[in-house]
Amino acid sequence: MKIRNITLALLPLIFSSFTYASALSEPTSYSKDLYTENILSGNYDSNIDKPDTFLDFGYGERVASPSQITNAILSWSNQSNKLKVVEYARSHENRPLYAVYISSEENINRLDDIKKDVIKLSDAREINDSRANKLIDKLPAIAWLAYSIHGNETSGADAALGLIYHLIASTDKEVINMLSDMVVIVDPMMNPDGRDRFAKSLEQYRGVAPSYDDQSLIHTGDWPYGRTNHYYFDLNRDWIYLTQPETQGRVALINQWRPQILVDAHEMGPQDTFMTGPAREPINKNMSENIIKWGNIFAQDQGSEFDKRDWRFYTGEWHEDLYPGYSFYVNFRGTLGILYEQSRMAEDGVKRPEGTIQSYKESVHHQFVSSLTNLKTLQNNSNEMYQDYWDGRKLNISNGSKWANQSFVILPTKNKKRINTLANKLKAQNIEIYTNNKLIKVKNILKQSGDVKDEFIIPINSMIIPNRQPEAPLISAILEFDAEIDNEVLKKERQATLKNGSSIMYDTTAFNFTMMYGLDAITVPEFLNEDLEEWLPSPMTINVNDEAIMWAVEGDDDSSVSFAARLMEQDVVVRIVDKDFLLSSKSLSRGSVIVLQMDNPNVKNLTSLVSNTATNLNISVFSLDSGFGEKELPDWGGRHFRLLNKPKIAVLGHNGFSSYDVGVSWWSLDHHLGIRHSLLNTSIIGYADLRRYNTIIMPSGYRSLSQGETSALKDWIEQGGTLIAHNGSTRRLLSQDSFTSVKEITKSFDLSHQYNVDLQREFLALDTIVDETKVNNNKVDFELNYPWEKSDTKIDIDTLKKRDKWQSLFMPSGAFVSGRIDSSHWLTFGTIDTIPLLYSNYPVLMSDSRSNAVIRIGELSVNDKVDSYRTLNWSDIPSGNDLNVRMSGLVWPEASKRIANSAYLTQERYGKGQIILFSGEPNFRGSSLGTNRLWLNAVVYGSGLGTTLNLSL
Ligand SMILES: [Zn+2]
């Protein structure tokens, strides 16, 4: 009886599996019925396939997938001669990125000539006014329309699909005229990998009835979300640092075309409306007034089009333009950047507080109408805009601009990899770079620390970038040490901070290349143009001699870390020399990587491995025949030739972690090293076999570890593991007992005296003076000095606590502060003495003598007028010194005081292993190459240099 019942109950289920459609109920309504207006409402050539042809839904009703968009574009390129498709890049996941040129057939056939004319108009050193005017008369307007750089901001790319069709298929005179007047370059889908990830999640979370709830998964997607690309990079922060293939290809093409406008169509919060138009302050001061003027004109036209249709919109508000790494880097090159921010409807539409539901199709329509309106405004004003552009180009090379008498100089470095990377980024922006083979005497130079030096001699082989050249505004925007921020902006920012801890700054307030890259540079207040030659990368030497006893690469070069990592992966035994040395008359820096013939008796093709690895990495390698270092210099059998250990790396991630920091850690391994590693879902570490790894990276996160996870990690470290944590994860580890002796400042006040004593030991060790008569005096000295007894004020614990709470309100949100390095620690190989640290609201680390404070915040600078110790919160500054903290960007004095002398990077033994804590995120945007080197040292050298090596028998 029972059995029979079950069988009967299963019957309908079995049956329903054959009639799929009836398995689910019909919804009572469809989101496609929400919006009945037709986006494509003109007269169209029937020989061109409509967008619907390539979709399995009506155009604009849902999100087109990257492959659907690709199919449409490729098919149209066969159907129309008003269109030319160029693949400008491939994403990491091998999806094509297209620039779709649309114009009259005649213009399409002479695209190369048009481009040549644009390039001519860009260099006012080469042509005069009358030639320029002729070019302007002849040139069609040029627009670059780019969509959906954030993969989950989908409506833009759908609008692009309709726009391409509309422009090539319309038989309306207005459109045909437009195409004879202009070249429209549509960049329909700037981040196909992110879009694909999001489109997939739309499929996965789709139910029967539409979801108008913007909190539901179909609207949000899940970790790591669709915004970013394959390695979770925000592509809209990458336009100057150019780390990703999508941006590299795109910028190369935009910079050839120098369009008059560049539309960058995004989406924002679902309960918002539509934002466009020029930014509010802070606006980067290198942007010309003309750009701002034209921005207003375009916004007005766009606004009145929205008014006509009863669509709400706004301009300004949260949109600021200080950071030059958005798409609006083009503003500094004379192109007007136009931002769209459409509220995000994620396919189904969203219920709004006023009770209406806004549909996805309407959001696509907004983007479509905005683009067409901008094209019309451009068509009407192209000549005048070209004229302004030309005036700008003339100003840039004249001696009358504010940039004319300024040059940036990057001091010589042995770090070939990094200086070459910088040169490539600058050349990608058409910036001209030079070098000097004579010393140049200059005056009143500005150092990165902010100090001015009356007289300075520029060493030979510096990299010199005179700011008087065609791309002057951009050069200044990306190389000046400090971006100017108006007092009014500072006032508003401080008000916002004081009132509710908010900020009016949308991105980092510091971004200049030399600090980002950890390269020592100066600004010279004059136009350097004599005795200069074109800067060229220095040639590579591959000298791998069979007879040598060892081969070496320079440790100051970042590629040396990759060299070591890649050889170890191939089971070559590698050493590192932890002190500057001179062997076989070759002098190399500490951190240089050495391969000894005798360490590798069983590696058959050792010399070719060494030489191929170096060749691939473009790093010079030298053969050394003698292991004898004169006097105190290291010899090859001594303790300075330290053995490395092959890193076996895992990167933790997933829910609870910053996808940016996870992604950039992952990317850094793949980009810089290219060696094997595992990405782990952190939820498995409680029961995973962690013995497979000797190095675990914990990117920034806000996830606390469970007790089981904590003890698994602790056991693993005790047995010799290297744990490397960043920012939020560092904070979590500090809050979990007995992981580390390092503390957050808020938990340290009762021990502040001890922290100060340990700090004074470090200071005194930096600048040690020994009085021989006292040392050799046999009598007890009754007048011994104690540094902490000489400071003027002592601050009690309660006051310290109160002050810290107050100061913590003012923490920076992306500014450079100076880091003073422990130059004897292996983590600082390849690092300049004062390293700029990109700093935000990070945990303020307190390190005593139980851990190594490898980098502390603040650079001591001489001030003879100060003849006593001075107290700063918990610490004292030795007499004769000031402490420089801020280097660039907005750092309130309260924050400088709070973080002064705290640690940015600590290393501490734990059992046979170690814990390495970064207060910040060392790999920020794949661009903070200065701190990235510290991280690479930790990842590749950590297991060998900071743990007890496992001698397997
Ligand atoms: Zn966006």
Side-chain angles (χ1 to χ4, degrees):
M1 192 66 178
K2 214 176 175 185
I3 292 170
R4 198 172 152 233
N5 266 351
I6 289 173
T7 316
L8 278 179
L10 281 174
L11 261 178
L13 275 178
I14 293 164
F15 182 68
S16 70
S17 71
F18 294 104
T19 55
Y20 169 75
S22 66
L24 302 169
S25 302
E26 280 284 304
T28 58
S29 67
Y30 291 95
S31 58
K32 67 181 168 62
D33 299 327
L34 290 170
Y35 189 71
T36 48
E37 279 210 42
N38 205 351
I39 299 175
L40 300 170
S41 57
N43 300 303
Y44 296 110
D45 177 350
S46 60
N47 294 317
I48 313 265
D49 286 337
K50 285 186 163 37
D52 301 30
T53 321
F54 308 99
L55 308 170
D56 37 14
F57 46 84
Y59 169 64
E61 285 168 5
R62 287 178 54 186
V63 172
S65 71
S67 59
Q68 287 170 331
I69 294 176
T70 299
N71 281 344
I73 289 169
L74 295 179
S75 304
W76 287 332
S77 75
N78 293 326
Q79 295 170 6
S80 169
N81 42 25
K82 293 181 193 165
L83 170 141
K84 186 184 167 192
V85 179
V86 169
E87 181 183 317
Y88 67 71
R90 283 262 159 171
S91 69
H92 287 294
E93 293 172 17
N94 202 31
R95 294 190 175 83
L97 285 103
Y98 294 124
V100 181
Y101 296 77
I102 303 166
S103 195
S104 64
E105 188 181 353
E106 191 202 337
N107 285 335
I108 288 289
N109 289 333
R110 59 177 194 104
L111 282 178
D112 280 345
D113 290 338
I114 295 171
K115 191 163 75 180
K116 275 181 201 150
D117 287 348
V118 176
I119 292 170
K120 274 183 209 148
L121 191 65
S122 302
D123 194 342
R125 296 169 303 189
E126 302 293 323
I127 58 168
N128 58 20
D129 279 334
S130 82
R131 179 88 183 96
N133 286 332
K134 275 181 200 145
L135 287 170
I136 290 171
D137 284 344
K138 196 166 77 164
L139 271 171
I142 301 174
W144 187 289
L145 309 177
Y147 300 88
S148 298
I149 196 164
H150 295 136
N152 58 349
E153 301 174 5
T154 50
S155 59
D158 281 303
L161 194 62
L163 186 76
I164 297 170
Y165 171 76
H166 179 77
L167 294 176
I168 59 170
S170 175
T171 52
D172 294 336
K173 219 172 186 174
E174 201 185 352
V175 176
I176 290 170
N177 284 344
M178 186 183 264
L179 293 192
S180 54
D181 286 355
M182 64 190 346
V183 175
V184 183
I185 307 167
V186 181
D187 188 351
M189 179 174 49
M190 292 193 274
N191 175 11
D193 292 352
R195 186 181 183 87
D196 199 67
R197 196 157 67 231
F198 188 65
K200 192 82 197 154
S201 79
L202 287 174
E203 267 174 26
Q204 287 168 340
Y205 292 116
R206 170 149 305 290
V208 167
S211 168
Y212 305 135
D213 175 9
D214 58 28
Q215 300 180 61
S216 58
L217 272 167
I218 194 163
H219 287 270
T220 61
D222 40 22
W223 201 96
Y225 310 101
R227 176 184 177 89
T228 51
N229 78 345
H230 175 77
Y231 284 104
Y232 318 155
F233 272 63
D234 185 335
L235 295 177
N236 198 32
R237 301 294 184 277
D238 193 44
W239 296 78
I240 54 171
Y241 300 122
L242 305 176
T243 64
Q244 300 302 297
E246 296 92 336
T247 334
Q248 288 165 350
R250 177 177 311 128
V251 164
L253 200 58
I254 291 173
N255 288 354
Q256 286 174 29
W257 275 94
R258 302 176 176 276
Q260 293 174 285
I261 63 168
L262 182 140
V263 164
D264 179 11
H266 290 250
E267 290 182 349
M268 57 181 167
Q271 297 294 344
D272 217 315
T273 59
F274 187 98
M275 194 206 45
T276 186
R280 57 133 171 97
E281 285 285 351
I283 293 173
N284 196 298
K285 297 291 180 228
N286 295 296
M287 208 176 289
S288 88
E289 287 298 320
N290 278 335
I291 290 290
I292 298 166
K293 173 188 88 182
W294 284 111
N296 274 310
I297 293 170
F298 277 76
Q300 271 168 19
D301 286 357
Q302 201 176 328
S304 37
E305 200 58 41
F306 269 49
D307 287 343
K308 263 192 243 163
R309 294 163 188 265
D310 250 355
W311 292 344
R312 290 171 67 211
F313 70 95
Y314 60 91
T315 62
E317 298 207 9
W318 54 269
H319 174 205
E320 53 104 317
D321 242 344
L322 185 68
Y323 177 73
Y326 302 123
S327 59
F328 304 126
Y329 86 97
V330 294
N331 285 335
F332 304 103
R333 294 171 54 96
T335 296
L336 169 66
I338 301 174
L339 175 68
Y340 303 164
E341 291 279 358
Q342 163 63 48
S343 52
R344 201 149 74 83
M345 297 301 129
E347 193 158 278
D348 275 359
V350 166
K351 179 95 181 237
R352 303 177 59 88
E354 62 268 25
T356 56
I357 299 165
Q358 193 171 89
S359 69
Y360 183 65
K361 191 172 174 188
E362 184 179 338
S363 71
V364 174
H365 204 178
H366 292 174
Q367 306 261 24
F368 179 88
V369 167
S370 296
S371 304
L372 265 189
T373 310
N374 287 164
L375 289 180
K376 277 178 211 157
T377 309
L378 175 62
Q379 188 185 10
N380 295 335
N381 295 285
S382 169
N383 263 33
E384 222 180 307
M385 288 181 81
Y386 272 131
Q387 204 60 58
D388 282 349
Y389 174 76
W390 172 243
D391 288 344
R393 304 309 286 184
K394 285 194 291 185
L395 178 71
N396 294 352
I397 55 149
S398 74
N399 57 13
S401 84
K402 65 173 176 180
W403 310 287
N405 296 307
Q406 170 166 287
S407 302
F408 300 100
V409 177
I410 294 105
L411 302 176
T413 171
K414 288 198 218 169
N415 199 338
K416 302 298 172 210
K417 167 79 190 224
R418 217 181 290 175
I419 196 84
N420 290 346
T421 305
L422 176 65
N424 290 339
K425 307 298 169 182
L426 298 175
K427 283 180 183 167
Q429 302 287 3
N430 310 106
I431 293 168
E432 296 163 5
I433 51 182
Y434 300 92
T435 188
N436 55 323
N437 55 17
K438 282 184 191 160
L439 299 173
I440 305 176
K441 266 192 196 171
V442 284
K443 288 193 167 145
N444 300 320
I445 61 114
L446 178 67
K447 294 171 63 180
Q448 286 174 326
S449 62
D451 293 341
V452 174
K453 230 176 153 193
D454 304 342
E455 295 200 330
F456 187 84
I457 295 174
I458 300 175
I460 296 170
N461 284 333
S462 295
M463 178 187 274
I464 297 177
I465 301 132
N467 206 165
R468 195 188 301 178
Q469 53 170 302
E471 302 306 338
L474 182 67
I475 292 172
S476 180
I478 63 180
L479 288 176
E480 65 183 356
F481 294 158
D482 236 332
E484 190 186 335
I485 303 175
D486 283 343
N487 190 278
E488 196 52 34
V489 172
L490 290 176
K491 210 170 113 186
K492 281 187 186 155
E493 173 70 5
R494 192 155 174 103
Q495 281 167 344
T497 305
L498 285 167
K499 265 185 156 168
N500 52 17
S502 66
S503 170
I504 62 165
M505 304 296 189
Y506 195 67
D507 208 275
T508 60
T509 57
F511 29 73
N512 71 79
F513 259 106
T514 57
M515 290 187 197
M516 207 73 178
Y517 276 21
L519 290 167
D520 207 354
I522 57 169
T523 306
V524 180
E526 56 184 281
F527 175 45
L528 297 175
N529 69 333
E530 280 170 31
D531 295 327
L532 301 186
E533 296 171 10
E534 187 191 353
W535 184 93
L536 294 169
S538 44
M540 177 180 57
T541 319
I542 300 289
N543 168 13
V544 183
N545 178 351
D546 263 333
E547 306 300 305
I549 57 173
M550 59 184 133
W551 306 280
V553 299
E554 168 59 46
D556 275 355
D557 194 316
D558 293 339
S559 287
S560 60
V561 191
S562 329
F563 178 79
R566 296 177 72 85
L567 285 176
M568 282 192 278
E569 180 158 279
Q570 297 170 85
D571 294 321
V572 174
V573 173
V574 175
R575 288 177 188 266
I576 200 158
V577 191
D578 66 5
K579 200 177 163 194
D580 291 352
F581 64 105
L582 176 75
L583 293 175
S584 304
S585 66
K586 181 79 207 159
S587 100
L588 290 159
S589 313
R590 70 189 189 99
S592 290
V593 175
I594 303 277
V595 179
L596 303 190
Q597 184 104 256
M598 59 83 61
D599 274 341
N600 294 286
N602 300 322
V603 182
K604 285 193 193 102
N605 48 351
L606 187 62
T607 48
S608 58
L609 270 180
V610 168
S611 89
N612 291 345
T613 306
T615 308
N616 290 339
L617 292 167
N618 196 22
I619 187 171
S620 293
V621 56
F622 308 100
S623 293
L624 307 177
D625 312 313
S626 159
F628 173 71
E630 280 181 33
K631 293 183 184 166
E632 288 298 298
L633 292 171
D635 311 292
W636 75 322
R639 66 188 167 90
H640 295 293
F641 276 63
R642 299 175 66 180
L643 197 61
L644 291 178
N645 191 34
K646 177 168 152 182
K648 298 174 193 158
I649 303 163
V651 183
L652 302 186
H654 238 270
N655 282 331
F657 282 81
S658 152
S659 61
Y660 293 126
D661 200 39
V662 171
V664 77
S665 303
W666 175 26
W667 177 84
S668 291
L669 295 173
D670 279 356
H671 173 77
H672 294 288
L673 307 177
I675 58 171
R676 292 188 290 273
H677 56 267
S678 304
L679 299 181
L680 299 188
N681 185 332
T682 308
S683 64
I684 72 164
I685 58 169
Y687 54 86
D689 181 3
L690 297 181
R691 292 172 306 174
R692 296 175 193 179
Y693 322 110
N694 59 22
T695 305
I696 293 181
I697 297 155
M698 236 175 137
S700 187
Y702 38 88
R703 180 187 186 281
S704 293
L705 298 174
S706 72
Q707 222 166 7
E709 291 167 346
T710 304
S711 59
L713 263 186
K714 275 186 185 169
D715 287 350
W716 172 82
I717 304 168
E718 270 185 331
Q719 291 307 312
T722 293
L723 181 69
I724 302 165
H726 311 162
N727 184 12
S729 288
T730 294
R731 206 191 287 273
R732 296 291 152 212
L733 290 178
L734 299 193
S735 70
Q736 277 169 312
D737 282 347
S738 74
F739 239 111
T740 160
S741 69
V742 178
K743 286 189 184 331
E744 261 205 274
I745 194 164
T746 46
K747 303 269 172 58
S748 73
F749 299 119
D750 46 346
L751 297 167
S752 64
H753 173 70
Q754 191 52 48
Y755 283 112
N756 187 32
V757 172
D758 289 344
L759 177 72
Q760 298 315 312
R761 284 168 59 181
E762 286 175 32
F763 279 144
L764 291 169
L766 280 179
D767 189 14
T768 311
I769 300 166
V770 175
D771 182 343
E772 264 180 64
T773 55
K774 281 193 176 177
V775 177
N776 296 332
N777 191 337
N778 295 11
K779 294 194 167 53
V780 168
D781 184 355
F782 284 91
E783 278 152 22
L784 268 186
N785 288 328
Y786 303 95
W788 65 89
E789 285 177 2
K790 289 201 289 186
S791 61
D792 43 14
T793 45
K794 281 281 149 277
I795 305 171
D796 62 79
I797 293 176
D798 272 355
T799 310
L800 278 177
K801 276 186 188 164
K802 271 186 223 158
R803 286 189 181 178
D804 186 72
K805 201 171 170 197
W806 178 254
Q807 288 164 0
S808 68
L809 293 173
F810 298 93
M811 290 294 274
S813 55
F816 284 115
V817 298
S818 47
R820 65 172 185 274
I821 69 164
D822 175 350
S823 60
S824 64
H825 199 282
W826 52 268
L827 276 167
T828 62
F829 290 154
T831 302
I832 54 177
D833 291 342
T834 301
I835 179 175
L837 306 169
L838 197 60
Y839 204 90
S840 274
N841 190 11
Y842 295 146
V844 179
L845 305 184
M846 297 293 283
S847 155
D848 61 21
S849 55
R850 287 172 293 175
S851 61
N852 292 307
V854 182
I855 295 185
R856 284 190 189 272
I857 289 162
E859 177 195 20
L860 286 178
S861 68
V862 177
N863 182 349
D864 294 333
K865 287 181 199 138
V866 184
D867 58 3
S868 67
Y869 272 69
R870 286 183 294 171
T871 301
L872 257 178
N873 290 355
W874 59 274
S875 66
D876 292 331
I877 307 300
S879 62
N881 285 290
D882 278 329
L883 191 75
N884 292 352
V885 170
R886 192 191 82 90
M887 287 185 97
S888 172
L890 177 54
V891 185
W892 294 114
E894 289 86 349
S896 288
K897 212 165 174 183
R898 181 171 193 236
I899 64 179
N901 289 320
S902 71
Y904 173 83
L905 171 60
T906 65
Q907 182 260 346
E908 180 181 17
R909 286 299 296 257
Y910 186 90
K912 297 186 182 64
Q914 67 181 329
I915 299 177
I916 296 172
L917 299 174
F918 284 89
S919 153
E921 296 176 12
N923 306 322
F924 187 72
R925 293 181 183 163
S927 314
S928 54
L929 298 184
T931 47
N932 168 256
R933 174 63 192 266
L934 304 166
W935 185 84
L936 290 172
N937 289 342
V939 171
V940 176
Y941 303 149
S943 177
L945 302 185
T947 71
T948 306
L949 287 184
N950 183 0
L951 184 68
S952 52
L953 294 174

